Amino acid sequence: MLIASLIFLITLIFVIWQPRGLQIGTTAILGAIVALIFQVVNFDDVLAVTNIVWDATLAFIGIIILSMILDEIGFFEWAALKMAKFSNGNGILMFIYSILLGAFVSALFANDGAALILTPILLAKMRILKLNIKTIVAFLLAGGFISDSASLPFVFSNLTNIVTANYFSIGFVEYFFNMIIPFIVSVITSIVFLWLLLRKDIPKTVDITLLKEPKSVIKNMKLFYFSWFFLGFLLCAYFLGDAYDLPISIFALGGAVIFLIIATISKTVKAKHIIKEAPWQVVWFSIGLYIVVYGLKNAGLTDELSQILQYLATKGDMVAVVGTGFIAAFLSAIMNNMPTVMIMDIALTDISNQALIYANVIGCNLGPKMTPFGSLATLLWLHVLAKKGVKISFWEYSKFGLIITPPVLLIVLLSI
């Protein structure tokens, strides 16, 4: 147990710290190699892990590639400008619409797409609008929060969703119908609590005449219109594929490749640039970290966690759901949500209450917002903002996250 725990802890520290630019996938693979050397895991475990995560990882890569192509076209900038114009200069409406836009992007393009692609665009527009720094930070905090709290409705909306759905063989349609209500509740609850917490920094009026016309940012209008058709077709394909029990990565990555070819032929994007910039490190990160986590399973840690969850399951559905969700949330906040969802999935294997599986996903999606290192998306989000000249301190972020996350999480868990 001690060796497995030390390997996990050191790997996680290096994943979060990233000293000398050491990438997350490289760190995770090194951790997996160390686990093999110390016989915490064996090669059969490596094969088992690869079988669990390959579909989830490739699907996630596909979603991000698709997001990158749409970003190159001007899709997200158009959406941000359209959102601002819809507000008609009303600061409160602009705040609400920006959250709804973040929820839309998070649901369809994953939480990382919302946090990393939409954030720089919104920041640039807010600077053009000459908003003060407190207002800008308020909008950014709201956008960062909704990127995770709204990443619930589809299997592909968050890597944690994909990993869990694949682990428990939950189909695309089944997952959607079980999570659509929690998603709606999460978005509405997030808007209410974000407004209550940040309202003093939201201006009553904003001069939207300073912004460009939305159409002016589109690089290829025909491809832009086609992208709406393609996204609708792709969403239908996910539902159809579920009927034939096809891997989600076939549609996520396959659709991204098809759209990349079309966009390259239209000379709107450069395929080489998109492929080079795609987050391939996530592939090695998912496999490597899961192997390290599997070492904790072999050492018996997940058995102990499973006993706690089984005890909660005997106390009625509400206690079990809320307890499971908050355990997942606090573990995510402390040690990152990816290892947490993996450990919790393993611990829930022999518990027959399916509601706890969804409680785990919700906890792992919202819980990371309590600390800056709760998810890689948040760490990258803070890094992007720092490069753009907006610095949010550890304590400022944590104070915000610890205030808003627990009540939103509780209400969403009760909606399962």
Side-chain angles (χ1 to χ4, degrees):
M1 175 72 83
L2 180 61
I3 295 175
S5 299
L6 281 174
I7 293 172
F8 170 75
L9 184 61
I10 294 169
T11 302
L12 187 61
I13 288 171
F14 275 85
V15 164
I16 294 170
W17 182 21
Q18 296 180 44
R20 296 181 180 273
L22 186 64
Q23 298 192 68
I24 59 172
T26 305
T27 298
I29 289 295
L30 288 173
I33 292 171
V34 173
L36 279 167
I37 291 172
F38 281 90
Q39 298 183 334
V40 171
V41 294
N42 56 45
F43 285 103
D44 287 338
D45 294 330
V46 173
L47 292 175
V49 166
T50 304
N51 187 53
I52 291 170
V53 303
W54 73 267
D55 184 44
T57 306
L58 293 180
F60 182 77
I61 292 289
I63 292 293
I64 298 300
I65 288 177
L66 182 60
S67 302
M68 293 168 67
I69 300 167
L70 290 170
D71 185 42
E72 286 286 318
I73 294 170
F75 184 94
F76 296 113
E77 188 173 4
W78 172 88
L81 288 168
K82 203 74 174 175
M83 171 273 297
K85 296 289 184 181
F86 272 138
S87 72
N88 208 23
N90 185 307
I92 298 171
L93 287 178
M94 184 177 289
F95 181 73
I96 294 171
Y97 291 163
S98 69
I99 295 173
L100 290 174
L101 175 61
F104 168 78
V105 175
S106 179
L108 288 179
F109 304 102
N111 60 325
D112 294 88
L116 303 181
I117 293 175
L118 195 58
T119 297
I121 293 172
L122 290 175
L123 176 59
K125 302 313 163 197
M126 287 185 286
R127 282 175 167 165
I128 292 172
L129 290 169
K130 300 178 180 179
L131 301 178
N132 65 53
I133 189 63
K134 283 190 175 182
T135 298
I136 289 175
V137 169
F139 271 86
L140 291 174
L141 286 172
F145 185 81
I146 200 67
S147 67
D148 282 318
S149 68
S151 64
L152 298 174
F154 300 110
V155 169
F156 55 71
S157 299
N158 197 314
L159 187 54
T160 58
N161 304 2
I162 310 174
V163 168
T164 301
N166 280 1
Y167 188 83
F168 291 102
S169 300
I170 300 173
F172 187 87
V173 175
E174 180 185 356
Y175 180 92
F176 172 75
F177 282 111
N178 276 297
M179 288 296 258
I180 187 62
I181 297 300
F183 165 70
I184 294 170
V185 171
S186 184
V187 172
I188 294 171
T189 307
S190 295
I191 290 173
V192 171
F193 279 91
L194 286 168
W195 167 247
L196 289 174
L197 192 59
L198 302 170
R199 66 186 185 281
K200 66 179 184 299
D201 295 322
I202 307 302
K204 291 183 179 180
T205 59
V206 179
D207 185 7
I208 59 172
T209 60
L210 297 170
L211 297 173
K212 299 176 183 178
E213 283 301 311
K215 282 189 176 181
S216 68
V217 301
I218 302 297
K219 293 181 181 179
N220 185 321
M221 194 57 70
K222 287 184 179 179
L223 189 59
F224 172 73
Y225 286 134
F226 174 76
S227 67
W228 287 98
F229 164 78
F230 188 83
L231 290 172
F233 173 79
L234 191 58
L235 192 58
C236 292
Y238 284 120
F239 284 96
L240 183 63
D242 184 57
Y244 293 94
D245 199 27
L246 296 174
I248 192 172
S249 59
I250 290 178
F251 303 97
L253 186 56
V257 170
I258 291 170
F259 196 66
L260 178 59
I261 293 170
I262 294 170
T264 303
I265 291 172
S266 70
K267 297 182 179 179
T268 306
V269 303
K270 294 181 179 179
K272 185 178 179 180
H273 170 74
I274 295 294
I275 293 171
K276 182 181 178 182
E277 294 300 317
W280 298 108
Q281 280 282 317
V282 172
V283 175
W284 314 119
F285 172 74
S286 296
I287 295 173
L289 193 61
Y290 215 145
I291 289 170
V292 173
V293 168
Y294 219 77
L296 293 177
K297 170 189 175 295
N298 291 343
L301 178 64
T302 53
D303 291 337
E304 294 182 15
L305 185 57
S306 181
Q307 289 179 12
I308 296 172
L309 296 173
Q310 286 174 345
Y311 172 77
L312 289 173
T314 65
K315 300 299 178 181
D317 283 350
M318 188 174 76
V319 172
V321 165
V322 172
T324 299
F326 271 89
I327 288 173
F330 285 118
L331 287 177
S332 294
I334 295 169
M335 66 178 196
N336 193 269
N337 66 338
M338 277 307 296
T340 296
V341 79
M342 296 169 181
I343 290 170
M344 290 291 288
D345 283 346
I346 295 169
L348 287 166
T349 301
D350 297 323
I351 299 176
S352 59
N353 189 340
Q354 195 177 50
L356 303 192
I357 296 172
Y358 295 104
N360 176 35
V361 172
I362 292 169
C364 288
N365 288 8
L366 273 72
K369 307 314 292 182
M370 288 189 278
T371 62
F373 48 79
S375 70
L376 288 171
T378 302
L379 288 168
L380 293 170
W381 176 77
L382 288 169
H383 179 66
V384 168
L385 291 180
K387 287 176 65 177
K388 299 288 184 180
V390 178
K391 293 186 178 180
I392 300 174
S393 70
F394 176 91
W395 296 113
E396 183 182 6
Y397 185 92
S398 297
K399 183 174 70 173
F400 166 79
L402 287 168
I403 290 172
I404 193 169
T405 303
V408 174
L409 175 60
L410 176 61
I411 292 170
V412 177
L413 287 171
L414 292 175
S415 71
I416 296 177

